[in-house]
C-alpha cells in the first residue's frame, strides 16, 4: 500500500478498510510514514469523519501498536477502573478523583495526556511536583498501583505508541476536535491499561473541545458504542465547561487547588459535584457499591476523614515526589515572579453573564503554561487564580482573576485575553446544569 493513497481515499470520503488502517498505524510506529502524511490523514478524518467500523479498527490498531497491561498476576483485591475527560479549562478532576477512588478500595491506573490546544494536561500539572515521575516504566507503574491504589502517569513507550505520536501531531495541526480521533485516542490508551470499567467526562461549553451540546452528546455516544464493541463497560456524563472549572487555571496552581480540595481547605461547589458524581458512577459500574447514593456517602466519608488526601500524598511519594507535599506544598510548587489582578474597565459593579473558556485557556498558553508547538516547554508556575465565574460580581475592587506571570509583557498580553473573555450585565442569567447523564 501507499500512504498517499490511503490519505486520498479518506480525502474523497471513502471508508478505510481494516487493512488500510493497520498499514497506516504500523507505518507511524516504524517511521515509514512521515509526520506530514500523518497530519494529512488527520485533517482528512477531521473533515470526512469515520464510521463506527473504522473507529473500532483505528482504536484496535492504536492499542495493538503496543502492549496491554495484565493485572491478574498482581492479584489485586478490587476492580481496575479509570476516568477520562475530553478536556477543559481548569479541569483538575483527575488529581482528586484517583485518590478518592483508591481510598474506596478500587485501583486506578490513570494514563493521562499533556495539554492539547487551549486546555491544560494532567501530566503537565503533575510535572509541577518536583521529583514526580510521570513516565515510569511498566514495573514501577504497576508497583505504585498495587501499593497505593492509584497512579497518574503518561503513556509509557510500550502502551499505544502510535497514539502518542498522533496525539502530539493533532495538537499542532488544528485536528483536535475530531470525534473519531478523540474516541480512538481515548479508548486505545484505556484498553491498553487493562481496565474493568471506565467513566467518561465529556465536557461541553466554551472551554471544551465539544463547544456545543450536540457535539458532546455525539462524542459521548460514540465512545460508549465503540467501547461496547471492544468489550469495555463505559458510563458517560456530559459536564458543563461554559466557564473555568474551579478557581484556578495553570499547572502548579491547579495542583494547589487539588490539595486544598482534598484536605477540605476549600472545595469549589461545581468541582465537588463533578468529582463525586464521576467517582460514584465508577464505583457502581465496577460493582463496588450497589447504588449511587451509597457511593456518594462512601466518597464523602473518605474526603472528610482525610483518607483521600493521604492517598494522594502516598501516590506522589511512590512515584518519586516529596512525601510531605500536603504540609509543604508552598515549599515545593513553583511560583511566578509577578502576580497582578485583572479588573473590569467600568467602575459600577456588574454580574458576569458569559465566559469564553477558550479565551481563558489561551491566556494561560500566552503566559507559557501551555504549548503552541508539540516540542515547546511548559512553565509550570504561571496561570490564573481566583478566577470568577458565571453569576459572580466584579468591580474596581473585585477582579476577574489574578494573573501569575514571569514577565510584565506576558502579564499584559494575558490580561487583554482575560478581559475579552467576559461579558457582564446588571442582572444575572440562568446557568447551565453542571451534569447531564446519558440514558
Amino acid at each position: 500500500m501507499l500512504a498517499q493513497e490511503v490519505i486520498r481515499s479518506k480525502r474523497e470520503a471513502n471508508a478505510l478498510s481494516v487493512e488500510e488502517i493497520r498499514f497506516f498505524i504500523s507505518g507511524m510506529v516504524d517511521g515509514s510514514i512521515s509526520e506530514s502524511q500523518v497530519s494529512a490523514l488527520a485533517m482528512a478524518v477531521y473533515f470526512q469523519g469515520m464510521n463506527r467500523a473504522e473507529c473500532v479498527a483505528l482504536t484496535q490498531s492504536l492499542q495493538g501498536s503496543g502492549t496491554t497491561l495484565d493485572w491478574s498476576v498482581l492479584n489485586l483485591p478490587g476492580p481496575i477502573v479509570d476516568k477520562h475527560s475530553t478536556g477543559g479549562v481548569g479541569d483538575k478532576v483527575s488529581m482528586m478523583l484517583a485518590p478518592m477512588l483508591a481510598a474506596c478500595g478500587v485501583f486506578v491506573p490513570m494514563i493521562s495526556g499533556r495539554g492539547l490546544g487551549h486546555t491544560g494536561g494532567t501530566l503537565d500539572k503533575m510535572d509541577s511536583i518536583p521529583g514526580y515521575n510521570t513516565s515510569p516504566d511498566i514495573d514501577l507503574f504497576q508497583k505504585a498501583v498495587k501499593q497505593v491504589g492509584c497512579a497518574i502517569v503518561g503513556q509509557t513507550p510500550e502502551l499505544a505508541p502510535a497514539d502518542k505520536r498522533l496525539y502530539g501531531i493533532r495538537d499542532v495541526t488544528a485536528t483536535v476536535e475530531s470525534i473519531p480521533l478523540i474516541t480512538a485516542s481515548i479508548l486505545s490508551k484505556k484498553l491498553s491499561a487493562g481496565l474493568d470499567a471506565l467513566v467518561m467526562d465529556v465536557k461541553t461549553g466554551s472551554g471544551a473541545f465539544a463547544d456545543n451540546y450536540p457535539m458532546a452528546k455525539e462524542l459521548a455516544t460514540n465512545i460508549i458504542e465503540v467501547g461496547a464493541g471492544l468489550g469495555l463497560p463505559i458510563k458517560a456524563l456530559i459536564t458543563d465547561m461554559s466557564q473555568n472549572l474551579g478557581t484556578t487555571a495553570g499547572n502548579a496552581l491547579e495542583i494547589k487547588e487539588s490539595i486544598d480540595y482534598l484536605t477540605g481547605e476549600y472545595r469549589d461547589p461545581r468541582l465537588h459535584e463533578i468529582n463525586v458524581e464521576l467517582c460514584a458512577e465508577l464505583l457502581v459500574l465496577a460493582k463496588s457499591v450497589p447504588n449511587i447514593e451509597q457511593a456518594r456517602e462512601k466518597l464523602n466519608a473518605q474526603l472528610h476523614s482525610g483518607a483521600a488526601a493521604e492517598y494522594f500524598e502516598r501516590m506522589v511519594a511512590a512515584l518519586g515526589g516529596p512525601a510531605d507535599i500536603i504540609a509543604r506544598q508552598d515549599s515545593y510548587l513553583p511560583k511566578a515572579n509577578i502576580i497582578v489582578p485583572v479588573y473590569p474597565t467600568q467602575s459600577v459593579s456588574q454580574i458576569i453573564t458569559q465566559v469564553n473558556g477558550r479565551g481563558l485557556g489561551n491566556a494561560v498558553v500566552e503566559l507559557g503554561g501551555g504549548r503552541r508547538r508539540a516540542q515547546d516547554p511548559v512553565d509550570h508556575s504561571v496561570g490564573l487564580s481566583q478566577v470568577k465565574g458565571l453569576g459572580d460580581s466584579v468591580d474596581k475592587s473585585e477582579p476577574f482573576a489574578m494573573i501569575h506571570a514571569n514577565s510584565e509583557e506576558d502579564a499584559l498580553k494575558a490580561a487583554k485575553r482575560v478581559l475579552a473573555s467576559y461579558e457582564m450585565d446588571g442582572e444575572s442569567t440562568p446557568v447551565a446544569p453542571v451534569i447531564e447523564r446519558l440514558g
Side-chain angles (χ1 to χ4, degrees):
M1 293 183 188
L2 295 174
Q4 56 266 41
E5 288 302 307
V6 177
I7 296 166
R8 182 197 61 78
S9 181
K10 179 47 63 180
R11 186 197 68 193
E12 298 302 318
N14 296 317
L16 300 180
S17 68
V18 172
E19 291 74 22
E20 286 175 315
I21 291 171
R22 286 176 180 167
F23 160 77
F24 206 92
I25 300 306
S26 177
M28 285 175 57
V29 175
D30 65 24
S32 61
I33 290 178
S34 69
E35 184 168 315
S36 61
Q37 289 172 319
V38 177
S39 302
L41 183 64
M43 189 63 75
V45 172
Y46 177 88
F47 283 112
Q48 302 296 359
M50 280 182 156
N51 62 33
R52 195 61 37 78
E54 287 177 286
C55 236
V56 169
L58 178 59
T59 302
Q60 288 177 317
S61 295
L62 291 173
Q63 179 194 0
S65 68
T67 60
T68 297
L69 295 180
D70 179 12
W71 298 97
S72 62
V73 296
L74 299 182
N75 296 314
L76 300 178
I80 313 297
V81 304
D82 198 2
K83 179 272 312 180
H84 189 89
S85 168
T86 54
V89 180
D91 182 6
K92 54 195 70 73
V93 169
S94 293
M95 278 86 76
M96 293 153 281
L97 175 140
M100 286 167 65
L101 287 169
C104 290
V106 299
F107 293 82
V108 190
M110 185 174 287
I111 298 174
S112 299
R114 301 200 177 275
L116 272 179
H118 64 282
T119 68
T122 298
L123 292 187
D124 296 325
K125 296 165 192 178
M126 295 304 296
D127 278 339
S128 302
I129 302 172
Y132 187 90
N133 183 5
T134 55
S135 302
D137 59 29
I138 287 179
D139 287 343
L140 178 56
F141 178 35
Q142 291 192 306
K143 180 181 178 183
V145 172
K146 182 176 183 178
Q147 289 182 344
V148 180
C150 61
I152 300 174
V153 302
Q155 286 175 262
T156 70
E158 301 93 342
L159 299 180
D163 173 69
K164 187 172 185 179
R165 185 180 180 200
L166 180 57
Y167 190 93
I169 291 171
R170 285 168 53 216
D171 187 24
V172 294
T173 56
T175 54
V176 169
E177 301 96 332
S178 163
I179 286 176
L181 296 180
I182 293 171
T183 299
S185 177
I186 292 168
L187 292 182
S188 63
K189 287 193 287 282
K190 299 309 177 184
L191 288 162
S192 295
L195 301 181
D196 296 318
L198 172 69
V199 69
M200 281 299 307
D201 180 5
V202 180
K203 298 196 174 295
T204 185
S206 63
F209 293 122
D211 60 2
N212 60 83
Y213 179 79
M215 180 182 177
K217 187 172 183 179
E218 182 184 355
L219 175 57
T221 302
N222 197 58
I223 288 172
I224 291 170
E225 292 180 356
V226 173
L230 294 167
L232 179 62
I234 301 176
K235 179 77 175 184
L237 302 184
I238 297 177
T239 65
D240 174 54
M241 186 48 74
S242 60
Q243 55 185 311
N244 192 74
L245 184 57
T247 62
T248 59
N251 300 299
L253 294 168
E254 292 187 47
I255 292 291
K256 174 173 173 49
E257 184 176 2
S258 300
I259 292 172
D260 288 347
Y261 174 96
L262 290 168
T263 59
E265 184 73 21
Y266 174 73
R267 292 182 183 133
D268 176 80
R270 292 175 66 249
L271 181 60
H272 182 56
E273 182 177 350
I274 290 173
N275 269 333
V276 170
E277 294 306 300
L278 288 169
C279 287
E281 290 288 356
L282 259 180
L283 291 177
V284 174
L285 190 62
K287 298 181 173 56
S288 290
V289 294
N291 56 59
I292 292 291
E293 290 73 22
Q294 289 187 32
R296 291 174 184 143
E297 290 177 8
K298 189 171 186 177
L299 289 158
N300 280 307
Q302 299 305 319
L303 279 173
H304 296 320
S305 71
E310 291 176 12
Y311 273 83
F312 177 84
E313 192 163 63
R314 287 172 56 199
M315 176 187 73
V316 168
L319 287 165
D324 54 353
I325 186 67
I326 299 290
R328 300 187 61 210
Q329 56 175 293
D330 287 339
S331 300
Y332 293 120
L333 297 177
K335 298 178 180 64
N337 296 321
I338 299 166
I339 304 175
V340 292
V342 184
Y343 292 108
T345 54
Q346 82 289 341
S347 57
V348 179
S349 177
Q350 288 194 301
I351 297 171
I352 295 170
T353 57
Q354 190 166 330
V355 181
N356 181 347
R358 183 180 289 265
L360 294 178
N362 283 330
V364 177
V365 174
E366 189 87 57
L367 289 164
R371 295 177 179 81
R372 292 181 175 87
R373 300 174 301 166
Q375 65 268 34
D376 285 348
V378 167
D379 186 340
H380 297 101
S381 67
V382 300
L384 309 174
S385 66
Q386 300 178 39
V387 180
K388 291 294 191 295
L390 294 170
D392 289 339
S393 297
V394 290
D395 56 32
K396 284 293 187 181
S397 63
E398 195 67 38
F400 288 115
M402 302 295 292
I403 290 178
H404 297 244
N406 281 317
S407 76
E408 295 285 355
E409 182 182 1
D410 288 345
L412 287 172
K413 289 179 181 177
K416 290 179 180 178
R417 285 194 180 271
V418 171
L419 281 171
S421 298
Y422 286 94
E423 293 183 16
M424 296 169 293
D425 202 341
E427 298 181 2
S428 61
T429 56
V431 178
V434 178
I435 294 173
E436 179 171 331
R437 286 176 163 82
L438 292 183

